Amino acid sequence: MPNSPSPSPGAPRVTMADIARASNSDISTVSRTLRKPEDQVRTDKGRAIWRVATELGYRPNLTAASLRTNSSRLVTVFVPRLRDEVLALMHEGIDEVLAAAGYQSIVVPTGDDPAEQVAKLEMAFQRGVDGVLIGDARSDSDFLDNVRQLGLPFVLFNRPLDGYPSVTSNDYQGGMLAAEHLAQVCPGPVAVYAGMPYAGNLARRVQGFRDGFRARGRTLAPELVLDGGLYAEDGAAAAQQLMAQLDAPFGLFAVNDTAAIGALGEFYRAGLLPGRDVYVVGFNDISLARAIPVGLTTVRSSMAEIGARAAEALLARINGENPVSATVPVELVIRESTQRQT
């Protein structure tokens, strides 16, 4: 309701009975009218009711509405942390689809802590949410069994797990693209910064890289597969470890852009020239990948599309359908971090 006055603190809530009296209508007519958006009302009586409601500063009682319909129109979105452009862009896609369907999302960061996941799941269940979108699934946790036992419709995004509906990027194919490129341009050994082993999307990227590298007649040495977090400082620490192990030239595939950029910066500070001494590939194509002085070669995926399609799948599950898992296509974007320098 545009330009409707805000009630003063402590003012009594405007009710449908108030609107019925002011518009000379019965409560049932007011109720039916206000269930529709104002721009969808076609009768003079309906427009008069909406005009009175706006003048009185009416706000719908969402709690009462949820009791009537047995639907809160709320969806909880679980994410590991909020410090991540990838998840932020996924949530933009989620929010756009949910809003168009009349739903709101509640974003819940869990810190990738299984106990925190369970605690916040219980909170979501008590709030009566209609469904759950899970972006922090772990392969070493039974959290999804808890979700299933509660009977909540759910869909995974970002991180897939076998046996559960999910929408993710084509992580395996992305890993293969990175391997094929590094096998072609890097004359020396190649390492992989694998992130967290319990994250299904990262594991698929690493497996795709292994298979793609092997198909090119190259072998990925076990000691050159490093685990860790996904932030710039984690990538920088991995770069220091690799410089202590390897002589230039060598390559690095990092399973996300932020860690790749951290590593690239550390190599640069050590005097290693990208495209001659080191060859670095990331994953996701975040905005910073193309904004830094040495552009990052990376595997591009549409984060907003992943979020949007996950939200669509969840809405289908809420409506009793059984959507299948899906992957969003990826492509390799070549920039200065792997372009050979003379």
Side-chain angles (χ1 to χ4, degrees), residues 143-222:
F143 171 64
L144 294 180
D145 291 336
N146 294 333
V147 182
R148 181 173 279 170
Q149 288 168 9
L150 289 175
L152 285 172
F154 70 94
V155 170
L156 312 188
F157 71 101
N158 184 44
R159 298 179 186 171
L161 276 180
D162 292 340
Y164 298 98
S166 65
V167 180
T168 65
S169 64
N170 192 334
D171 297 301
Y172 180 84
Q173 179 64 24
M176 290 198 71
L177 292 174
E180 291 166 359
H181 179 62
L182 281 173
Q184 180 180 9
V185 301
C186 179
V190 172
V192 170
Y193 185 68
M196 302 88 68
Y198 55 75
N201 56 337
L202 309 184
R204 290 186 181 186
R205 293 171 195 180
V206 174
Q207 189 59 53
F209 189 92
R210 288 183 189 277
D211 293 348
F213 213 47
R214 186 182 304 113
R216 290 283 178 152
R218 304 281 294 272
T219 301
L220 180 61

Side-chain angles (χ1 to χ4, degrees), residues 303-323:
M303 283 78 80
E305 182 180 354
I306 290 169
R309 292 179 64 177
E312 291 167 353
L314 179 63
L315 292 175
R317 293 205 79 182
I318 290 172
N319 291 325
E321 302 173 28
N322 291 303

Side-chain angles (χ1 to χ4, degrees), residues 181 252-265 267 274 279-300 332-339:
H181 179 62
L252 173 65
F253 169 52
V255 291
N256 83 323
D257 283 347
T258 306
I261 290 168
L264 191 60
F267 293 144
Y279 300 79
V280 181
V281 177
F283 201 110
N284 285 132
D285 196 24
I286 64 174
S287 57
L288 196 57
R290 50 191 178 273
I292 55 178
V294 177
L296 177 67
T297 294
T298 186
V299 178
R300 174 182 292 163
L332 184 71
V333 180
I334 299 173
R335 299 192 179 101
E336 294 87 348
S337 68
T338 59
Q339 290 178 336

